[in-house]
């Protein structure tokens, strides 16, 4: 039976089990982060009606929704919080700024940096900062400063920070974060790159920021002055939606919606994956996004979509090649108990060309990039020179910065 939020004995047990799972999965790798997860009572930061079981499960806990029903605030998934804390490399006495509050993650940070540290957490939503303040006081982390404001501007009074941990999806690195980051500081940021979000660990390198780690992740989108949502093309109500992150990509929504009524073209590549060996294909999505051609990501509500209509490899963020009136998304099918095969499903007049292109890109990824180190991701303030390379490159130009994704040049001819 699910325990109530005030049932402290079951909360203590659930918290211990959560820390054990994070250790076993190697999301926690340091004693300080482990101690924080064992101490901070996550359930005290949940909203009314959320049980202890849900509060200490492995998933995100939604705490607030906008008028359209979409989540605007949450307590992030514990594995992602553990990952960012480990990546930030926090030491006792460190100064940390968190963008996007809720209280729980700020309490974890405060626990790690200890009584000599400084923790400031900023949220744009007064309901969130009120709840964060209450939770932090109840949990015994009164030293955390909670600020109601637009995190786009950071929090200058306590700068510089040894780490800035952004917990909201952002299209770019705000100038204030760069200004307020100490010279050797770490900026943890869920950066959206052509519709796909990667939690980047960024550090200063010459005149730009260099990602020393990148992990696929999902966060609620940024509000306020830094707000820059993807363009949403509803192709079948809200159940099948194409997201476009480039202003330059021109497509016809009605034509794409009509394409859904044409027969689905299937094309299968020689590229397979064995699910049992823990192989990752995280770089594949970014590879498909890195091509100099119109690109979108498809999101599908499987429960509300007729069987057989669309079946993308990823139902939230599926890489999709586009023309004005046609599209082809990444697909995957099971070959046997352990092996899956990559391919494409295409719709519309250009379905054949787009599915063929997707197969070619899969083959290049397999040959040149699948087993390599993956791309180098850098962030360049506007006006700074951009990296040059013999390898494939993607540049995403935002208001204040350009994001560069640079792939290694192939070593052997194909
Ligand atoms: C995923 S939640 C934060 C999770 C939190 N750090 C935790 O303890 O798990 C993201 C938060 O970012 C906030 N947010 C969105 N845009 C913001 C902005 N421009 N400045 C500050 N906060 C913002 C939302 O209100 C939301 O509460």
């Amino acid at each position: 039976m699910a325990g109530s939020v005030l049932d402290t004995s079951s909360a203590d047990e659930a918290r211990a089990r959560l820390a054990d799972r994070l250790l076993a999965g190697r999301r926690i790798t340091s004693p300080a982060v482990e101690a924080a997860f064992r101490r901070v009572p996550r359930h005290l930061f949940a909203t009314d009606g959320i049980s202890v079981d849900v509060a200490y499960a492995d998933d995100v806990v939604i705490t607030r929704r906008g008028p359209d029903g979409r989540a605007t605030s949450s307590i992030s998934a514990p594995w992602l919080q553990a990952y960012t804390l480990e990546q930030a490399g926090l030491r006792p006495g460190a100064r940390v700024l968190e963008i996007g509050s809720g209280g729980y993650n700020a309490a974890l940070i405060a626990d790690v940096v200890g009584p000599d540290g400084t923790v400031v957490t900023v949220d744009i939503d007064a309901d969130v900062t009120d709840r964060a303040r209450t939770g932090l006081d109840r949990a015994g982390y009164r030293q955390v400063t909670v600020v109601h404001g637009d995190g786009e501007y950071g929090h200058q009074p306590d700068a510089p920070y040894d780490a800035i941990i952004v917990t909201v999806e952002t299209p770019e690195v705000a100038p204030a974060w760069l200004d307020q980051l100490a010279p050797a500081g770490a900026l943890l940021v869920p950066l959206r790159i052509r519709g796909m979000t990667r939690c980047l660990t960024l550090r200063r390198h010459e005149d730009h920021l260099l990602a020393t780690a990148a992990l696929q992740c999902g966060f609620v989108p940024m509000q306020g002055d830094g707000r820059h949502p993807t363009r949403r093309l509803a192709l079948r109500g809200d159940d099948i939606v194409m997201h476009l992150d480039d202003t330059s990509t021109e497509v016809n929504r009605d034509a794409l919606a009509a394409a859904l009524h044409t027969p689905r073209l299937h094309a299968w590549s020689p590229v397979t994956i064995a699910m049992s060996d823990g192989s990752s294909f995280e770089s594949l999505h970014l590879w498909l996004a890195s091509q100099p051609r119109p690109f979108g990501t498809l999101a599908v509500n499987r429960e509300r979509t007729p069987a057989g209509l669309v079946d993308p490899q990823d139902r939230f963020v599926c890489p999709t090649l586009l023309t004005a009136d046609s599209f082809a998304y990444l697909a995957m099918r099971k070959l046997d108990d352990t092996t899956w095969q990559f391919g494409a499903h295409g719709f519309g007049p250009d379905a054949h060309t787009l599915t063929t292109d997707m197969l070619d890109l899969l083959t290049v990824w397999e040959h040149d990039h699948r087993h390599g180190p993956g791309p180098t991701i850098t962030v360049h303030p506007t006006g700074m020179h951009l990296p040059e390379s013999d390898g494939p490159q993607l540049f995403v130009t935002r208001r204040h910065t350009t994001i560069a994704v640079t792939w290694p040049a192939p070593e052997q001819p194909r």
Side-chain angles (χ1 to χ4, degrees):
M1 197 177 77
S4 98
V5 130
L6 296 174
D7 181 348
T8 46
S9 61
S10 71
D12 289 349
E13 286 162 20
R15 185 160 62 256
R17 283 196 301 270
L18 172 62
D20 291 344
R21 289 197 301 278
L22 292 170
L23 267 177
R26 299 214 36 83
R27 288 300 183 188
I28 293 178
T29 53
S30 72
V33 173
E34 179 186 351
F37 272 93
R38 293 205 182 280
R39 259 194 293 263
V40 180
R42 184 172 164 99
H43 63 290
L44 292 188
F45 299 90
T47 35
D48 289 348
I50 290 173
S51 69
V52 160
D53 285 354
V54 171
Y56 288 99
D58 297 329
D59 293 328
V60 57
V61 179
I62 306 291
T63 48
R64 200 152 160 75
R65 291 183 189 275
D68 58 3
R70 287 192 209 125
T72 60
S73 191
S74 59
I75 310 176
S76 303
W79 63 266
L80 191 48
Q81 292 171 318
Y83 173 82
T84 52
L85 289 187
E86 295 291 6
Q87 282 292 324
L90 303 174
R91 304 211 179 285
R95 308 176 68 78
V96 185
L97 172 65
E98 182 191 43
I99 307 294
S101 312
Y104 176 61
N105 198 45
L108 291 171
I109 298 167
D111 200 277
V112 172
V113 301
D116 296 330
T118 299
V119 182
V120 181
T121 181
V122 182
D123 204 286
I124 200 161
D125 183 335
D127 270 25
V128 174
T129 46
D130 287 352
R131 187 167 40 78
R133 181 73 277 159
T134 306
L136 285 161
D137 290 348
R138 281 177 76 192
Y141 295 91
R142 287 189 176 75
Q143 73 273 31
V144 175
T145 303
V146 180
V147 177
H148 174 219
D150 190 340
E152 170 82 0
Y153 303 105
H155 183 69
Q156 181 60 43
D158 289 297
Y161 299 101
D162 300 305
I164 299 180
I165 301 180
V166 183
T167 64
V168 57
E169 176 209 285
T170 174
E172 73 167 328
V173 171
W177 304 341
L178 254 182
D179 292 347
Q180 296 171 22
L181 188 68
L187 173 59
L188 273 289
V189 60
L191 192 64
R192 200 181 72 223
I193 306 170
R194 273 198 135 185
M196 0 207 101
T197 309
R198 293 290 177 275
C199 187
L200 301 182
T201 306
L202 293 170
R203 292 185 183 273
R204 292 183 196 277
H205 182 76
E206 298 167 357
D207 61 1
H208 59 272
L209 293 165
L210 169 69
T212 54
L215 183 75
Q216 189 169 354
C217 65
F219 275 91
V220 298
M222 185 97 167
Q223 305 169 43
D225 290 351
R227 180 176 183 274
H228 172 71
T230 53
R231 268 187 294 156
R232 277 180 104 251
L233 306 184
L235 302 187
R236 193 176 188 275
D238 277 346
D239 298 338
I240 303 181
V241 176
M242 188 76 72
H243 290 269
L244 301 178
D245 201 359
D246 308 316
T247 43
S248 58
T249 297
E250 301 216 353
V251 290
N252 179 333
R253 191 212 71 90
D254 293 345
L256 291 185
L260 271 178
H261 299 289
T262 64
R264 180 168 102 183
L265 190 69
H266 296 217
W268 296 103
S269 78
V271 181
T272 60
I273 185 158
M275 286 304 187
S276 52
D277 67 6
S279 307
S280 162
F281 56 93
E282 207 170 304
S283 71
L284 173 58
H285 283 200
L286 212 46
W287 168 247
L288 296 173
S290 295
Q291 309 309 315
R293 56 183 301 155
F295 179 84
T297 57
L298 194 69
V300 173
N301 182 334
R302 278 212 174 114
E303 288 73 43
R304 293 167 50 102
T305 300
L309 180 58
V310 287
D311 195 9
Q313 175 270 318
D314 184 315
R315 68 191 167 110
F316 300 112
V317 186
C318 193
T320 306
L321 306 181
L322 294 162
T323 59
D325 58 3
S326 308
F327 63 97
Y329 58 75
L330 181 67
M332 204 182 199
R333 70 177 176 185
K334 194 171 180 179
L335 289 184
D336 58 41
D337 280 352
T338 56
T339 314
W340 292 70
Q341 181 180 28
F342 288 110
H345 292 165
F347 295 86
D350 298 326
H352 179 72
T353 311
L354 291 176
T355 51
T356 306
D357 290 353
M358 179 77 86
L359 264 45
D360 289 346
L361 289 171
L362 280 161
T363 307
V364 177
W365 173 73
E366 166 85 354
H367 186 273
D368 294 345
H369 303 297
R370 179 175 190 167
H371 306 289
T376 301
I377 304 177
T378 46
V379 177
H380 305 261
T382 303
M384 299 296 169
H385 88 281
L386 298 174
E388 288 168 19
S389 169
D390 293 335
Q393 281 188 298
L394 166 72
F395 294 113
V396 178
T397 307
R398 303 289 197 197
R399 237 179 349 149
H400 306 289
T401 53
T402 297
I403 305 161
V405 180
T406 303
W407 293 82
E411 278 170 18
Q412 295 153 10
R414 242 169 271 135

